[in-house]
Amino acid sequence: MNGHALRKCLHILSLLLMTGLLFSCRGKGTLEDSSREGLILGFSQIGAESAWRKCNTSSVKEAAEEAGVQLLFENAEQKQENQIKALRSFIVYQVDVIAFVPIVADGWDNVLKEAKDAGIPVLITDRKINTADPSLYAGFIGTDSKQEGREGARFLLKKFAGTEKVRIVEIQGTEGSSVAIGRSEGFREELEGHDEFEIIHSVSGDFLRSRGYELMRDILKRHDHIDVIYSHNDGMTLGVLDALRETNLIPGKDIVIVTIDAEQAAIDALIRGEVNCVIECNPKMGPAIIDLAEKLSRGESIPPLQHVRETVFTEYDDLSSIEPRGY
Ligand code: GZL
């Protein structure tokens, strides 16, 4: 048997074992009886691509532990197909509630129909999905990415008031993700009618620091005059700063930088003057997710859409009072 066939068999065997084990430790008889332990929540996380994501994961795990919720946690390693497999395994296991971060906005209807048919409520968190059937999930809690984009544009409108020409480079997040779409749309909507602002280059860095670095080196070869970098997350911004350190350009002065997430490293860069505006995107939604999951497990309805509280930090603020970010 060649290596590929062996890997295939092992994969199938592991899936059967997982399903078998899951059934054996749950057993049909225990699903209904009162001896069953508390809420069982299946959670599919997209990966660990940024400090923000790692904090988001910790927040969910800590909140589940605090609440005595049995958490089945799956890391999809940036692949939608892994998330779909995870959701299907949660359905087989007959969890009480499913929660997940959809890495991209499209392609969820089929698996959500399977969850609905199995009578398992689904909570969507952090990123949104596109679907023609809103009955496929119980509700959403996460960040308002369009508002984040608007805030970035508002800062630039203030910073460059009266300037004739402002050349902007946009480094976007994961293509097809609701947050990259929202941050692009909100930013552009706010700049509408201000023709002095021109987006001269827009490219996806997939929320990764390494891509931010590689892209910035390439962009500097293509454009000899850049006024602003608008980066969809701090991880990519740190890569941009890595690249700028290899030049004689002074970040925050020669090139204005707007970034989103508000991880500690970005706040530190703001305090050093290397970054000009940091828009908070709050990853600490674990307690709210657990609270909503518990409501769903009791058959209660939840709000269809909830945005977490977020703020903006800029060079115009008193930066000495910013609380440690914790991520
Ligand atoms: C935003 C979240 C994004 C963060 C990135 O809600 O989905 O994903 O901005 C993370 O840091 O990778």
Side-chain angles (χ1 to χ4, degrees):
M1 181 185 292
N2 66 29
H4 175 72
L6 178 61
R7 277 196 303 277
K8 195 92 179 140
C9 286
L10 288 171
H11 179 68
I12 291 165
L13 181 62
S14 64
L15 276 176
L16 289 172
L17 268 175
M18 187 174 79
T19 309
L21 281 176
L22 293 177
F23 269 118
S24 64
C25 70
R26 291 290 300 275
K28 290 303 279 180
T30 58
L31 288 181
E32 288 74 37
D33 72 25
S34 59
S35 66
R36 188 178 130 170
E37 295 303 310
L39 164 61
I40 300 178
L41 171 64
F43 188 88
S44 168
Q45 179 60 286
I46 61 179
E49 72 282 358
S50 63
W52 190 99
R53 182 65 53 208
K54 291 168 190 160
C55 178
N56 182 241
T57 291
S58 305
S59 179
V60 171
K61 287 183 174 176
E62 287 160 16
E65 186 172 354
E66 177 74 22
V69 166
Q70 184 180 342
L71 184 69
L72 304 185
F73 180 89
E74 288 285 338
N75 174 343
E77 294 172 354
Q78 310 299 326
K79 293 186 175 71
Q80 182 177 26
E81 63 264 28
N82 289 346
Q83 289 200 282
I84 291 171
K85 279 182 199 147
L87 267 58
R88 288 193 165 126
S89 70
F90 297 151
I91 293 167
V92 167
Y93 185 60
Q94 298 178 33
V95 298
D96 299 299
V97 178
I98 290 173
F100 76 110
V101 177
I103 185 166
V104 292
D106 296 323
W108 301 101
D109 278 12
N110 290 340
V111 70
L112 292 180
K113 281 195 187 88
E114 292 165 27
K116 183 178 179 182
D117 292 347
I120 301 174
V122 175
L123 173 65
I124 294 178
T125 81
D126 178 23
R127 299 183 185 179
K128 294 169 180 160
I129 67 167
N130 293 328
T131 179
D133 181 1
S135 76
L136 291 179
Y137 64 95
F140 167 84
I141 180 164
T143 54
D144 184 349
S145 47
K146 275 194 90 168
Q147 182 58 26
E148 293 160 350
R150 289 191 195 97
E151 292 293 352
R154 280 186 194 146
F155 169 78
L156 295 177
L157 286 166
K158 176 177 179 180
K159 177 78 178 175
F160 289 94
T163 306
E164 270 186 30
K165 187 78 177 162
V166 184
R167 298 166 184 81
I168 301 170
V169 165
E170 178 187 36
I171 303 184
Q172 295 190 16
T174 300
E175 277 184 80
S177 67
S178 68
V179 284
I181 293 163
R183 287 171 183 171
S184 284
E185 285 180 354
F187 186 74
R188 283 162 176 74
E189 282 174 13
E190 198 67 23
L191 292 179
E192 247 164 51
H194 294 276
D195 298 337
E196 67 276 26
F197 291 87
E198 182 189 354
I199 300 175
I200 60 172
H201 192 104
S202 184
V203 63
S204 171
D206 214 10
F207 288 128
L208 296 171
R209 178 170 186 166
S210 56
R211 287 296 291 139
Y213 171 73
E214 291 158 6
L215 289 168
M216 194 64 221
R217 284 166 56 96
D218 177 57
I219 289 162
L220 287 166
K221 292 174 189 151
R222 295 165 181 262
H223 301 280
D224 55 13
H225 189 123
I226 300 168
D227 299 300
V228 175
I229 301 285
Y230 168 49
S231 168
H232 286 193
N233 91 321
D234 298 343
M236 297 187 296
T237 301
L238 295 175
V240 164
L241 293 175
D242 293 339
L244 290 176
R245 283 189 197 98
E246 297 172 356
T247 73
N248 57 7
L249 292 168
I250 304 170
K253 291 178 179 39
D254 298 333
I255 296 185
V256 168
I257 297 179
V258 175
T259 186
I260 303 174
D261 274 355
E263 68 175 78
Q264 192 59 53
I267 296 295
D268 293 346
L270 177 67
I271 292 167
R272 289 196 304 270
E274 293 177 350
V275 161
N276 307 81
C277 173
V278 181
I279 297 152
E280 182 185 33
C281 175
N282 187 342
K284 299 172 184 172
M285 53 187 93
I289 289 169
I290 295 303
D291 177 56
L292 291 169
E294 287 176 328
K295 283 187 169 70
L296 290 172
S297 71
R298 294 193 296 266
E300 297 170 24
S301 61
I302 64 170
L305 176 79
Q306 271 186 261
H307 285 138
V308 292
R309 184 195 55 74
E310 298 173 328
T311 188
V312 181
F313 305 100
T314 81
E315 61 186 15
Y316 303 118
D317 297 329
D318 168 13
L319 303 178
S320 62
S321 60
I322 299 177
E323 292 289 313
R325 302 296 300 160
Y327 63 102

